[in-house]
Amino acid sequence: MKKLRLRETSLSIWGWGSLGIVLSLITFGPFVIFYLAFYILCFVGGGFVVTLLFGKTNSEKYLEQCEHSFLPPTSTGIPKCLEEMKREARTIKIDRRLTGANIIDEPLQQVIQFSLRDYVQYWYYTLSDDESFLLEIRQTLQNALIQFATRSKEIDWQPYFTTRIVDDFGTHLRVFRKAQQKITEKDDQVKGSAEDLVDTFFEVEVEMEKHVCRDLVCTSPKDEEGFLRDLCEVLLYLLLPPGDFQNKIMRYFVREILARGVLLPLINQLSDPDYINQYVIWMIRDSNCNYEAFMNIIKLSDNIGELEAVRDKAAEELQYLRSLDTAGDDINTIKNQINSLLFVKKVCDSRIQRLQSGKEINTVKLAANFGKLCTVPLDSILVDNVALQFFMDYMQQTGGQAHLFFWMTVEGYRVTAQQQLEVLLSRQKDGKHQTNQTKGLLRAAAVGIYEQYLSEKASPRVTVDDYLVAKLADTLNHEDPTPEIFDDIQRKVYELMLRDERFYPSFRQNALYVRMLAELDMLKDPSFRGSDDGDGESFNGSPTGSINLSLDDLSNVSSDDLVQLHAYISDTVCADYDPYAVAGVCNDHGKTYALYAITVHRRNLNSEEMWKTYRRYSDFHDFHMRITEQFENLSSILKLPGKKTFNNMDRDFLEKRKKDLNAYLQLLLTPEMMKASPALAHYVYDFLENKAYSKGKGDFARKVPPLIPKTDSDPEHCRVSAQLDDTVDDNIPLRVMLLLMDEVFDLKERNQWLRRNIKNLLQQLIRATYGDTINRKIVDHVDWMTSPEQVADLVKRFREAFWPNGILAETVPCRDKAIRMRTRVAGKTKLLSIMPDELKHIIGAETTRKGILRVFEMFQHNQLNRRMVYVFLEGFLETLFPQYKFRELFNKLHSRSKQMQKYKQKLQTTQAPSLQKR
């Protein structure tokens, strides 16, 4: 039924529907369908448009409400950028004040301007004409400089300049010295190359520093640039405001300008050996280069390049002189110059041949095989600081040090007692009475000497006759002590040291005696005892020859011998030597001094000799002090012409002084004078001999301090500042000079007596020169070094060096190798020339030469110079920013060092067995 009803319903729907369609077609025609579809489409489209417009309006209102409620502001987009670019650029005002001192700000502003012009503008203007970027960079640089200047004013620079720099330099020199020793110990026969020395240097550095090694930044340009970039970025972080530092583009630009445009070129220049050599010559340009120093450098040089450069220059000068057409007096001058140049060329050829053949010899070791050595009397040894230290070392080896120390202590006691009694006598004349106190002190000192060396409890004990000791003990118990109380025993001790085969006689056969002669400049160089052509050469290298009498021969001369000695000053010349003008010519510029030519005649039964020697007034003065100290009766007879500070090069004055010195010589050489003081002949012959005069030390040598117990040697690997003597007062100049002398001349390897003598001499020198105001003077000097005027001068020098006349300096072409080698020779000659004779007589001529040449050789390696520059820079930054951990930062920056990695592996290897045992 249901199915039937559904069928009927569907038929009715279709029926009615069909009827409606037929009626519509009959009524409206066939287009009624299209009209109907069009009306429906219009209705639907209109409804959609109305809905869209209504929704858009409501959405905009809603979004506006949301924008003012919780949504962030929308981006302005590209139109906003275009609008900003169309506006006129606002002017940026630059404050040109940097340090607060106009004298510094002006050249500093020029440096900034030149840096931007030559490192930024030349490429930036190809991209844009906008000036704001350049102004922003300039403002950033100025902000950094302002912070730097402000920080510098808050720092006390005195410890840095007086202690830190000296410590760093001394430590650098110590590392270099130990590296040289290691190279020598590896193989004495094979000379290590420069590369081996550099590698060994950094090995020693890591052993000494423990936590840092700078081999990468000094040997690898890529690592060096990376180190400077990292360092500059750290400095910009400390100096720039946070906003400027966060601007990466700006920060990178400033970092590159500082690292590659300022620091790297400056470090390259300061570490260039040729630049350092030229600077050394310029610094001591007023000193005179003498012939003796020049020839010593040639004879000691182990660099074939230096010798070839000097030889070629000598050959060039020879060719020029031989081409001259001269006559009359000029020809004699030309011949002398040619002979001198031929001699220099000959010495260079001989030295080159020996170095190339590998037959280099040690003068000190082989001196005994080349004839008789000079004999130095024991009394001369005991009053000479240099000779005494070698004799002291020998006596300690043989167990006779107690005798020597007793003799020295008694000498010191005698001088002190004489001074105290003279003071006591003068006070008694003035009505002051301190007799008991002074005599009590002298008695205590005398008893102390007795107990230390002569009593039965003394260890070691001086062995002398018992009756002399008993007599001394009785005198001490019943009489007041006098300066001569120990004279009898001291005389016996002297005789014992002189006659006993264990002491002085054996010392003359020991290697220490040969080394002593080398330090006294009394050792003849066996390498120049003769040449292949048979021509003999003198000890001091003079082409004219010299008389090399031994001191033993001279000391045996008496007034009864038929030897006559006559001397007179034949001429007065000026001395201002050029190392390449070997003949020694007088120049009008530079520092000059008078040199007196002494003609000496020596006659005996079998021969007659004549020679010329040259002496300065200071040599006469030293000689006079020496003989009047040894022979007190001469002081009232011999009168040396007085000194003159100003106009002492005036011709009239020189002629007058020449006459006075001649009169002095004639009086000295009279037979009556020689008979009155027979031992005087030794000193006279030494003074008139044709060689460089060896000056004495005046009073200082006799004032020998009492025995100083020898302390343990310093640790092998540590910084110099760790070895400051705690007994030295907090005296800045004394500490500084002791540090420098210890490292330059390697004095810590010598006995403590010598070091104490040097300290005493420095103290006397400082107090005599400045008194108690020396510390104040040093503080004032440091203040002067950091004053605005000096800082401005340094900035101006930097500006002129890199931008001469406002133009970026071109890269300086590398100078010819021969010129650089001759500059090295000239620099070493200058350094040896300025060394005072007093220093040679304190520590020895050979030690002085070795120390000076060691310092000079240290500066001949670019990598080592870079290391020293970086050490100074690190110390400067640690002083400037003490609140920051710059030391840890530098350790991290240098942590990639290969030497550090090797050192750590070595430590792990050595520590592993001990850890396993635990």
Side-chain angles (χ1 to χ4, degrees), residues 419-443:
Q419 293 176 346
Q420 292 296 326
L421 292 178
E422 289 175 0
V423 172
L424 179 62
L425 182 61
S426 63
R427 288 185 175 179
Q428 287 177 345
K429 290 180 179 179
D430 296 337
K432 300 178 181 179
H433 300 282
Q434 291 183 343
T435 305
N436 294 333
Q437 181 180 359
T438 302
K439 291 183 177 181
L441 292 174
L442 292 179
R443 182 182 300 279

PDB file of all heavy atoms in Angstrom, residues 419-443:
ATOM      1  N   GLN A 419     139.467  55.163  59.423  1.00  0.00           N
ATOM      2  CA  GLN A 419     138.448  56.206  59.290  1.00  0.00           C
ATOM      3  C   GLN A 419     137.828  56.545  60.636  1.00  0.00           C
ATOM      4  O   GLN A 419     137.632  57.730  60.963  1.00  0.00           O
ATOM      5  CB  GLN A 419     137.380  55.750  58.295  1.00  0.00           C
ATOM      6  CG  GLN A 419     137.876  55.617  56.857  1.00  0.00           C
ATOM      7  CD  GLN A 419     136.816  55.067  55.942  1.00  0.00           C
ATOM      8  OE1 GLN A 419     135.787  54.548  56.379  1.00  0.00           O
ATOM      9  NE2 GLN A 419     137.059  55.154  54.633  1.00  0.00           N
ATOM     10  N   GLN A 420     137.514  55.524  61.427  1.00  0.00           N
ATOM     11  CA  GLN A 420     136.866  55.772  62.714  1.00  0.00           C
ATOM     12  C   GLN A 420     137.800  56.524  63.669  1.00  0.00           C
ATOM     13  O   GLN A 420     137.367  57.430  64.394  1.00  0.00           O
ATOM     14  CB  GLN A 420     136.432  54.444  63.338  1.00  0.00           C
ATOM     15  CG  GLN A 420     135.307  53.749  62.598  1.00  0.00           C
ATOM     16  CD  GLN A 420     134.026  54.545  62.620  1.00  0.00           C
ATOM     17  OE1 GLN A 420     133.714  55.244  63.588  1.00  0.00           O
ATOM     18  NE2 GLN A 420     133.263  54.454  61.535  1.00  0.00           N
ATOM     19  N   LEU A 421     139.063  56.161  63.660  1.00  0.00           N
ATOM     20  CA  LEU A 421     140.005  56.843  64.555  1.00  0.00           C
ATOM     21  C   LEU A 421     140.250  58.278  64.110  1.00  0.00           C
ATOM     22  O   LEU A 421     140.444  59.170  64.953  1.00  0.00           O
ATOM     23  CB  LEU A 421     141.325  56.067  64.605  1.00  0.00           C
ATOM     24  CG  LEU A 421     141.259  54.699  65.293  1.00  0.00           C
ATOM     25  CD1 LEU A 421     142.603  54.010  65.252  1.00  0.00           C
ATOM     26  CD2 LEU A 421     140.789  54.837  66.747  1.00  0.00           C
ATOM     27  N   GLU A 422     140.258  58.529  62.802  1.00  0.00           N
ATOM     28  CA  GLU A 422     140.390  59.909  62.333  1.00  0.00           C
ATOM     29  C   GLU A 422     139.193  60.741  62.752  1.00  0.00           C
ATOM     30  O   GLU A 422     139.333  61.898  63.173  1.00  0.00           O
ATOM     31  CB  GLU A 422     140.532  59.915  60.802  1.00  0.00           C
ATOM     32  CG  GLU A 422     141.872  59.390  60.314  1.00  0.00           C
ATOM     33  CD  GLU A 422     141.923  59.304  58.802  1.00  0.00           C
ATOM     34  OE1 GLU A 422     140.904  59.662  58.157  1.00  0.00           O
ATOM     35  OE2 GLU A 422     142.963  58.869  58.259  1.00  0.00           O
ATOM     36  N   VAL A 423     137.987  60.166  62.650  1.00  0.00           N
ATOM     37  CA  VAL A 423     136.779  60.880  63.089  1.00  0.00           C
ATOM     38  C   VAL A 423     136.844  61.133  64.589  1.00  0.00           C
ATOM     39  O   VAL A 423     136.498  62.217  65.085  1.00  0.00           O
ATOM     40  CB  VAL A 423     135.517  60.075  62.718  1.00  0.00           C
ATOM     41  CG1 VAL A 423     134.270  60.706  63.342  1.00  0.00           C
ATOM     42  CG2 VAL A 423     135.368  60.002  61.208  1.00  0.00           C
ATOM     43  N   LEU A 424     137.319  60.116  65.340  1.00  0.00           N
ATOM     44  CA  LEU A 424     137.427  60.262  66.791  1.00  0.00           C
ATOM     45  C   LEU A 424     138.410  61.370  67.157  1.00  0.00           C
ATOM     46  O   LEU A 424     138.148  62.188  68.051  1.00  0.00           O
ATOM     47  CB  LEU A 424     137.876  58.931  67.398  1.00  0.00           C
ATOM     48  CG  LEU A 424     138.069  58.905  68.919  1.00  0.00           C
ATOM     49  CD1 LEU A 424     136.757  59.209  69.635  1.00  0.00           C
ATOM     50  CD2 LEU A 424     138.626  57.556  69.344  1.00  0.00           C
ATOM     51  N   LEU A 425     139.522  61.424  66.452  1.00  0.00           N
ATOM     52  CA  LEU A 425     140.520  62.449  66.734  1.00  0.00           C
ATOM     53  C   LEU A 425     139.973  63.845  66.450  1.00  0.00           C
ATOM     54  O   LEU A 425     140.177  64.780  67.236  1.00  0.00           O
ATOM     55  CB  LEU A 425     141.775  62.194  65.906  1.00  0.00           C
ATOM     56  CG  LEU A 425     142.957  63.152  66.112  1.00  0.00           C
ATOM     57  CD1 LEU A 425     143.436  63.082  67.565  1.00  0.00           C
ATOM     58  CD2 LEU A 425     144.094  62.814  65.152  1.00  0.00           C
ATOM     59  N   SER A 426     139.245  63.995  65.345  1.00  0.00           N
ATOM     60  CA  SER A 426     138.683  65.308  65.016  1.00  0.00           C
ATOM     61  C   SER A 426     137.628  65.717  66.036  1.00  0.00           C
ATOM     62  O   SER A 426     137.521  66.906  66.393  1.00  0.00           O
ATOM     63  CB  SER A 426     138.085  65.275  63.615  1.00  0.00           C
ATOM     64  OG  SER A 426     137.009  64.351  63.554  1.00  0.00           O
ATOM     65  N   ARG A 427     136.868  64.787  66.558  1.00  0.00           N
ATOM     66  CA  ARG A 427     135.842  65.119  67.556  1.00  0.00           C
ATOM     67  C   ARG A 427     136.482  65.490  68.889  1.00  0.00           C
ATOM     68  O   ARG A 427     135.962  66.350  69.615  1.00  0.00           O
ATOM     69  CB  ARG A 427     134.881  63.943  67.732  1.00  0.00           C
ATOM     70  CG  ARG A 427     133.950  63.739  66.534  1.00  0.00           C
ATOM     71  CD  ARG A 427     132.945  62.639  66.793  1.00  0.00           C
ATOM     72  NE  ARG A 427     131.992  62.541  65.696  1.00  0.00           N
ATOM     73  CZ  ARG A 427     131.003  61.655  65.646  1.00  0.00           C
ATOM     74  NH1 ARG A 427     130.853  60.777  66.649  1.00  0.00           N
ATOM     75  NH2 ARG A 427     130.182  61.637  64.622  1.00  0.00           N
ATOM     76  N   GLN A 428     137.587  64.842  69.208  1.00  0.00           N
ATOM     77  CA  GLN A 428     138.273  65.200  70.446  1.00  0.00           C
ATOM     78  C   GLN A 428     138.821  66.613  70.366  1.00  0.00           C
ATOM     79  O   GLN A 428     138.822  67.354  71.358  1.00  0.00           O
ATOM     80  CB  GLN A 428     139.399  64.198  70.724  1.00  0.00           C
ATOM     81  CG  GLN A 428     138.911  62.834  71.182  1.00  0.00           C
ATOM     82  CD  GLN A 428     140.052  61.863  71.385  1.00  0.00           C
ATOM     83  OE1 GLN A 428     141.182  62.103  70.935  1.00  0.00           O
ATOM     84  NE2 GLN A 428     139.767  60.755  72.075  1.00  0.00           N
ATOM     85  N   LYS A 429     139.292  67.004  69.190  1.00  0.00           N
ATOM     86  CA  LYS A 429     139.770  68.369  69.024  1.00  0.00           C
ATOM     87  C   LYS A 429     138.625  69.366  69.168  1.00  0.00           C
ATOM     88  O   LYS A 429     138.824  70.489  69.621  1.00  0.00           O
ATOM     89  CB  LYS A 429     140.408  68.525  67.647  1.00  0.00           C
ATOM     90  CG  LYS A 429     141.726  67.773  67.509  1.00  0.00           C
ATOM     91  CD  LYS A 429     142.324  67.973  66.115  1.00  0.00           C
ATOM     92  CE  LYS A 429     143.657  67.249  65.982  1.00  0.00           C
ATOM     93  NZ  LYS A 429     144.242  67.426  64.627  1.00  0.00           N
ATOM     94  N   ASP A 430     137.393  68.954  68.777  1.00  0.00           N
ATOM     95  CA  ASP A 430     136.227  69.832  68.895  1.00  0.00           C
ATOM     96  C   ASP A 430     135.601  69.792  70.278  1.00  0.00           C
ATOM     97  O   ASP A 430     134.565  70.435  70.513  1.00  0.00           O
ATOM     98  CB  ASP A 430     135.182  69.456  67.857  1.00  0.00           C
ATOM     99  CG  ASP A 430     135.687  69.679  66.434  1.00  0.00           C
ATOM    100  OD1 ASP A 430     136.606  70.489  66.272  1.00  0.00           O
ATOM    101  OD2 ASP A 430     135.154  69.039  65.502  1.00  0.00           O
ATOM    102  N   GLY A 431     136.158  69.010  71.171  1.00  0.00           N
ATOM    103  CA  GLY A 431     135.630  68.935  72.527  1.00  0.00           C
ATOM    104  C   GLY A 431     134.568  67.880  72.728  1.00  0.00           C
ATOM    105  O   GLY A 431     133.946  67.820  73.788  1.00  0.00           O
ATOM    106  N   LYS A 432     134.355  67.016  71.738  1.00  0.00           N
ATOM    107  CA  LYS A 432     133.360  65.951  71.855  1.00  0.00           C
ATOM    108  C   LYS A 432     134.074  64.665  72.260  1.00  0.00           C
ATOM    109  O   LYS A 432     135.167  64.358  71.769  1.00  0.00           O
ATOM    110  CB  LYS A 432     132.623  65.755  70.534  1.00  0.00           C
ATOM    111  CG  LYS A 432     131.879  67.003  70.065  1.00  0.00           C
ATOM    112  CD  LYS A 432     131.212  66.768  68.722  1.00  0.00           C
ATOM    113  CE  LYS A 432     130.494  68.015  68.235  1.00  0.00           C
ATOM    114  NZ  LYS A 432     129.852  67.806  66.901  1.00  0.00           N
ATOM    115  N   HIS A 433     133.456  63.884  73.153  1.00  0.00           N
ATOM    116  CA  HIS A 433     134.110  62.684  73.678  1.00  0.00           C
ATOM    117  C   HIS A 433     133.205  61.466  73.431  1.00  0.00           C
ATOM    118  O   HIS A 433     132.119  61.362  74.001  1.00  0.00           O
ATOM    119  CB  HIS A 433     134.393  62.822  75.182  1.00  0.00           C
ATOM    120  CG  HIS A 433     135.293  63.980  75.500  1.00  0.00           C
ATOM    121  ND1 HIS A 433     136.661  63.936  75.318  1.00  0.00           N
ATOM    122  CD2 HIS A 433     135.005  65.237  75.972  1.00  0.00           C
ATOM    123  CE1 HIS A 433     137.190  65.102  75.663  1.00  0.00           C
ATOM    124  NE2 HIS A 433     136.208  65.909  76.069  1.00  0.00           N
ATOM    125  N   GLN A 434     133.673  60.581  72.537  1.00  0.00           N
ATOM    126  CA  GLN A 434     132.979  59.294  72.317  1.00  0.00           C
ATOM    127  C   GLN A 434     134.028  58.190  72.205  1.00  0.00           C
ATOM    128  O   GLN A 434     133.892  57.251  71.437  1.00  0.00           O
ATOM    129  CB  GLN A 434     132.137  59.349  71.035  1.00  0.00           C
ATOM    130  CG  GLN A 434     130.931  60.273  71.135  1.00  0.00           C
ATOM    131  CD  GLN A 434     130.098  60.233  69.868  1.00  0.00           C
ATOM    132  OE1 GLN A 434     130.543  59.787  68.839  1.00  0.00           O
ATOM    133  NE2 GLN A 434     128.874  60.699  69.977  1.00  0.00           N
ATOM    134  N   THR A 435     135.099  58.336  72.996  1.00  0.00           N
ATOM    135  CA  THR A 435     136.228  57.426  72.865  1.00  0.00           C
ATOM    136  C   THR A 435     135.841  55.992  73.178  1.00  0.00           C
ATOM    137  O   THR A 435     136.145  55.065  72.421  1.00  0.00           O
ATOM    138  CB  THR A 435     137.358  57.883  73.809  1.00  0.00           C
ATOM    139  OG1 THR A 435     137.669  59.247  73.518  1.00  0.00           O
ATOM    140  CG2 THR A 435     138.589  57.006  73.621  1.00  0.00           C
ATOM    141  N   ASN A 436     135.186  55.779  74.297  1.00  0.00           N
ATOM    142  CA  ASN A 436     134.864  54.420  74.723  1.00  0.00           C
ATOM    143  C   ASN A 436     133.942  53.712  73.728  1.00  0.00           C
ATOM    144  O   ASN A 436     134.106  52.533  73.446  1.00  0.00           O
ATOM    145  CB  ASN A 436     134.221  54.454  76.118  1.00  0.00           C
ATOM    146  CG  ASN A 436     135.208  54.928  77.175  1.00  0.00           C
ATOM    147  OD1 ASN A 436     136.420  54.772  77.023  1.00  0.00           O
ATOM    148  ND2 ASN A 436     134.693  55.522  78.247  1.00  0.00           N
ATOM    149  N   GLN A 437     132.974  54.455  73.228  1.00  0.00           N
ATOM    150  CA  GLN A 437     132.034  53.834  72.282  1.00  0.00           C
ATOM    151  C   GLN A 437     132.748  53.394  71.002  1.00  0.00           C
ATOM    152  O   GLN A 437     132.557  52.273  70.525  1.00  0.00           O
ATOM    153  CB  GLN A 437     130.913  54.821  71.945  1.00  0.00           C
ATOM    154  CG  GLN A 437     129.872  54.238  70.988  1.00  0.00           C
ATOM    155  CD  GLN A 437     128.781  55.254  70.674  1.00  0.00           C
ATOM    156  OE1 GLN A 437     128.808  56.367  71.182  1.00  0.00           O
ATOM    157  NE2 GLN A 437     127.840  54.843  69.853  1.00  0.00           N
ATOM    158  N   THR A 438     133.580  54.264  70.434  1.00  0.00           N
ATOM    159  CA  THR A 438     134.284  53.932  69.199  1.00  0.00           C
ATOM    160  C   THR A 438     135.254  52.774  69.413  1.00  0.00           C
ATOM    161  O   THR A 438     135.300  51.826  68.616  1.00  0.00           O
ATOM    162  CB  THR A 438     135.033  55.162  68.671  1.00  0.00           C
ATOM    163  OG1 THR A 438     134.103  56.220  68.452  1.00  0.00           O
ATOM    164  CG2 THR A 438     135.761  54.833  67.384  1.00  0.00           C
ATOM    165  N   LYS A 439     136.017  52.834  70.493  1.00  0.00           N
ATOM    166  CA  LYS A 439     136.965  51.750  70.761  1.00  0.00           C
ATOM    167  C   LYS A 439     136.245  50.439  71.059  1.00  0.00           C
ATOM    168  O   LYS A 439     136.744  49.350  70.731  1.00  0.00           O
ATOM    169  CB  LYS A 439     137.875  52.128  71.924  1.00  0.00           C
ATOM    170  CG  LYS A 439     138.852  53.259  71.583  1.00  0.00           C
ATOM    171  CD  LYS A 439     139.792  53.559  72.732  1.00  0.00           C
ATOM    172  CE  LYS A 439     140.801  54.656  72.335  1.00  0.00           C
ATOM    173  NZ  LYS A 439     141.754  54.962  73.429  1.00  0.00           N
ATOM    174  N   GLY A 440     135.085  50.537  71.651  1.00  0.00           N
ATOM    175  CA  GLY A 440     134.311  49.326  71.890  1.00  0.00           C
ATOM    176  C   GLY A 440     133.867  48.659  70.601  1.00  0.00           C
ATOM    177  O   GLY A 440     133.901  47.429  70.454  1.00  0.00           O
ATOM    178  N   LEU A 441     133.446  49.492  69.643  1.00  0.00           N
ATOM    179  CA  LEU A 441     133.046  48.945  68.353  1.00  0.00           C
ATOM    180  C   LEU A 441     134.226  48.309  67.627  1.00  0.00           C
ATOM    181  O   LEU A 441     134.106  47.231  67.032  1.00  0.00           O
ATOM    182  CB  LEU A 441     132.431  50.052  67.489  1.00  0.00           C
ATOM    183  CG  LEU A 441     131.081  50.607  67.957  1.00  0.00           C
ATOM    184  CD1 LEU A 441     130.655  51.785  67.091  1.00  0.00           C
ATOM    185  CD2 LEU A 441     130.001  49.527  67.926  1.00  0.00           C
ATOM    186  N   LEU A 442     135.380  48.966  67.661  1.00  0.00           N
ATOM    187  CA  LEU A 442     136.558  48.411  67.003  1.00  0.00           C
ATOM    188  C   LEU A 442     136.999  47.109  67.670  1.00  0.00           C
ATOM    189  O   LEU A 442     137.396  46.147  66.999  1.00  0.00           O
ATOM    190  CB  LEU A 442     137.700  49.427  67.032  1.00  0.00           C
ATOM    191  CG  LEU A 442     137.505  50.690  66.169  1.00  0.00           C
ATOM    192  CD1 LEU A 442     138.708  51.614  66.323  1.00  0.00           C
ATOM    193  CD2 LEU A 442     137.306  50.320  64.707  1.00  0.00           C
ATOM    194  N   ARG A 443     136.933  47.078  69.012  1.00  0.00           N
ATOM    195  CA  ARG A 443     137.295  45.849  69.715  1.00  0.00           C
ATOM    196  C   ARG A 443     136.364  44.699  69.335  1.00  0.00           C
ATOM    197  O   ARG A 443     136.807  43.572  69.108  1.00  0.00           O
ATOM    198  CB  ARG A 443     137.271  46.079  71.227  1.00  0.00           C
ATOM    199  CG  ARG A 443     137.694  44.846  72.043  1.00  0.00           C
ATOM    200  CD  ARG A 443     137.605  45.136  73.538  1.00  0.00           C
ATOM    201  NE  ARG A 443     138.489  46.238  73.901  1.00  0.00           N
ATOM    202  CZ  ARG A 443     139.789  46.081  74.099  1.00  0.00           C
ATOM    203  NH1 ARG A 443     140.348  44.887  73.992  1.00  0.00           N
ATOM    204  NH2 ARG A 443     140.533  47.114  74.438  1.00  0.00           N
TER     205      ARG A 443
END
